[in-house]
Every structure is written in C-alpha cells, then in structure tokens.
Amino acid sequence: MTNFDPAFFVEVLVGGLLSGVMYALVAIGFVLVYKTSGVFNFAQGAMLLFAALTFVSLVEKGVPFAFAFLVTLAVMALLGIAIERTVLRPLVNKPPITLFMATLGLAYVLEGSAQLLWGTQVHGLELGIDDKPFIIHGVLISSFDLFAAAVAAGMVALLAFVFQRTRIGLAFRAVADDQFAALAVGLRLPVIWSAVWIAAGVVALIAGLLWGARLGVQFSLSLVVLKALPVLVLGGFDSIPGAIVGGLLIGATEKLAEVYLGGYVGGGIESWCAYVFALGVLLIRPQGLFGQRLVERA
C-alpha cells in the first residue's frame, strides 16, 4: 500500500479488537478449568457446539427464545456436573497427558451425541441483531461485532466479579493457588470442580450463540477452539486477564497482518499468523505474558 489511511487503519484495528473479544471468551472457558484443576479441557469446543445445537434446535421446534436459553443453560450446567463426576473425578492425580486424552475423547463423545440428537445439517441462528454497519467518526463498525463484543465483555466482567467478590469465587482462587491448603481449611474440591465445569458450560453457551450467529451452527463450529490456542499461549493458560489481553492482541494482529502484509505473501495470512506470533512468545516466555512461572525444586 502506497498511501497510509489513518481512518482505514483504525477501522481494521477496531474490527480486529472486536473479534479478539470473542476469541477471549472462548479462551476463558479453558482458563477456568485449567486454573482450578490443572486440566486442559480440549472438549471446550465440543461443549460450545453442543450448547449452540441444543439452543437452535429448541428454537426451531417453536420453543420461545428466552425459555430455550434457560433450558440450554440448565442442560450445560448438568453436562458440566456429569463431566466432572464421570471424567475428572475418577482421574484425579493422574498424569496431565491422561487427563488431556480424556478430554479429547470427551470431545468426540459430545460431537457424536450432538449428531445423534440433532443431526448434521447446518442451522442458521438469529439473535435479533441487525448486522448493518454504522459509522463513528469516519470508522465503519459492524453492529453485530459490537454487540458480540459487548456481550463478551459483560460475561468477562461478571466472571471477574464472581472471582473477586463472592465466596465461591474466593474458593475458586484458593483451589487454584494450593489444592492441599484448600483441603486443609475445609473446602470440598469435588464441589468446587463441579462449579468450575458448570461455569465452563455457561461460557461455552454464550460463546456458542455468538459464534453460531456469525458462522452458522455446524460441526465445524467446534474448531473455533483452535482460535483460542494462540490466545492461551500468549496470555497464559491460568490467567483470565491474560486471556482477555491475548484475545485482543491476537484479533488485532490477525486483521492488521492480513490487510497490510497479506499482499506480500499471497494472502491468507490471517489463518496462520496468530500461531507464528504465539510461537515467538513461547520461545521468549513459555508461560505466556500473564501466566505463572513454574518453579521446580530438585
């Protein structure tokens, strides 16, 4: 590009930041489980898909929007409890690779169950938001992207309040800091872990509705977790603020790289530049920008 247009640059940057908030919302589902139990939940994408399919299928059967949301919320809460009791609890104190493989298998079970229940057809999902762009100070902004970012930001604020101001949030943080100390003061780890998986299910529902409205509710929706991986690497697997900052950085980097560098490499840079960015961070700071540095004693 020979001429630099500041208004266009801001427009691309804002679009990337709005997308980044949605990446962060998916990443937070990973962080919640990993921070309190040390499990990298690869099934988060399948949970997202299951939630979106359940909701849209209920709506298509004539169930009112609000009631369908409440029913799906209850389904995801029960699913979170079931996962904790049938998958996590029997594998407590097992090696991390065992837990990871368990969640990988769980992802396929959830996708197969969703296929049996709801079929394989693509569903359109309307949230009642008009996607007409509007202009603010010469910057073109998507109405849906702004709505999705506002919902995601509200979810993040709610989680921050729960973690900082409620008893269950304090219990989450205690378990995350030291499980043995949490047990010593009387906290029941299975109850805390169940609550965490319920929260992960709720986050999966919100993320599933937003991404489903953007991309359509289809089985490829579960692959949105791949967008969250560089966010987690960048921000840290155990940091909610890191997931937020990482999402914003990845979203902005993708859009700016595609617009300003894509022409030099034949295009398509948006699909892989985030992983290059994440690899660079791994080489410099393996725990991420906000992750805790692990100290091992011989």
Side-chain angles (χ1 to χ4, degrees), residues 22-110:
M22 291 181 63
Y23 294 162
L25 183 59
V26 178
I28 285 172
F30 285 93
V31 173
L32 286 173
V33 175
Y34 185 84
K35 187 175 178 65
T36 54
S37 62
V39 178
F40 181 76
N41 178 27
F42 196 81
Q44 187 68 23
M47 293 172 66
L48 184 152
L49 170 66
F50 192 89
L53 274 175
T54 301
F55 175 83
V56 75
S57 297
L58 289 173
V59 171
E60 289 178 352
K61 293 180 183 299
V63 179
F65 187 96
F67 187 66
F69 180 83
L70 292 177
V71 170
T72 309
L73 194 64
V75 168
M76 295 309 296
L78 292 174
L79 179 63
I81 294 173
I83 290 173
E84 189 279 327
R85 291 188 176 181
T86 61
V87 178
L88 179 62
R89 194 176 299 184
L91 296 177
V92 170
N93 296 325
K94 297 296 183 181
I97 187 62
T98 301
L99 294 167
F100 172 76
M101 293 304 296
T103 63
L104 181 61
L106 176 63
Y108 286 103
V109 170
L110 288 176

Side-chain angles (χ1 to χ4, degrees), residues 198-224:
I198 291 172
V202 173
V203 171
L205 170 58
I206 302 300
L209 295 185
L210 294 177
W211 281 101
R214 170 182 276 184
L215 304 176
V217 181
Q218 52 191 313
F219 276 80
S220 62
L221 194 63
S222 63
L223 298 179
V224 75

Side-chain angles (χ1 to χ4, degrees), residues 18-289:
L18 294 178
S19 296
V21 176
M22 291 181 63
Y23 294 162
L25 183 59
V26 178
I28 285 172
F30 285 93
V31 173
L32 286 173
V33 175
Y34 185 84
K35 187 175 178 65
T36 54
S37 62
V39 178
F40 181 76
N41 178 27
F42 196 81
Q44 187 68 23
M47 293 172 66
L48 184 152
L49 170 66
F50 192 89
L53 274 175
T54 301
F55 175 83
V56 75
S57 297
L58 289 173
V59 171
E60 289 178 352
K61 293 180 183 299
V63 179
F65 187 96
F67 187 66
F69 180 83
L70 292 177
V71 170
T72 309
L73 194 64
V75 168
M76 295 309 296
L78 292 174
L79 179 63
I81 294 173
I83 290 173
E84 189 279 327
R85 291 188 176 181
T86 61
V87 178
L88 179 62
R89 194 176 299 184
L91 296 177
V92 170
N93 296 325
K94 297 296 183 181
I97 187 62
T98 301
L99 294 167
F100 172 76
M101 293 304 296
T103 63
L104 181 61
L106 176 63
Y108 286 103
V109 170
L110 288 176
E111 290 187 13
S113 300
Q115 182 175 342
L116 288 174
L117 289 172
W118 311 119
T120 59
Q121 67 272 24
V122 178
H123 301 264
L125 177 57
E126 292 290 338
L127 299 180
I129 304 301
D130 192 357
D131 198 19
K132 291 182 179 178
F134 60 95
I135 299 175
I136 299 179
H137 298 293
V139 176
L140 196 66
I141 300 177
S142 165
S143 300
F144 178 80
D145 283 350
L146 194 62
F147 167 78
V151 172
M155 190 72 188
V156 169
L158 177 62
L159 289 172
F161 174 81
V162 169
F163 267 82
Q164 298 294 331
R165 301 294 182 182
T166 66
R167 294 185 65 180
I168 189 66
L170 293 175
F172 285 173
R173 292 163 58 192
V175 172
D177 289 338
D178 193 323
Q179 292 184 8
F180 294 106
L183 282 171
V185 298
L187 293 178
R188 298 175 60 190
L189 292 187
V191 174
I192 302 301
W193 285 335
S194 294
V196 168
W197 279 91
I198 291 172
V202 173
V203 171
L205 170 58
I206 302 300
L209 295 185
L210 294 177
W211 281 101
R214 170 182 276 184
L215 304 176
V217 181
Q218 52 191 313
F219 276 80
S220 62
L221 194 63
S222 63
L223 298 179
V224 75
V225 297
L226 299 179
K227 287 288 189 179
L229 293 181
V231 174
L232 292 167
V233 170
L234 183 60
F237 283 81
D238 55 0
S239 172
I240 289 180
I244 299 168
V245 175
L248 294 174
L249 287 175
I250 291 297
T253 300
E254 280 186 348
K255 298 297 183 184
L256 291 173
E258 179 64 31
V259 171
Y260 291 101
L261 299 178
Y264 298 103
V265 294
I269 191 174
E270 185 176 357
S271 62
W272 53 263
C273 71
Y275 297 93
V276 175
F277 190 13
L279 177 60
V281 173
L282 275 176
L283 295 175
I284 300 171
R285 188 176 171 84
Q287 71 272 27
L289 299 178

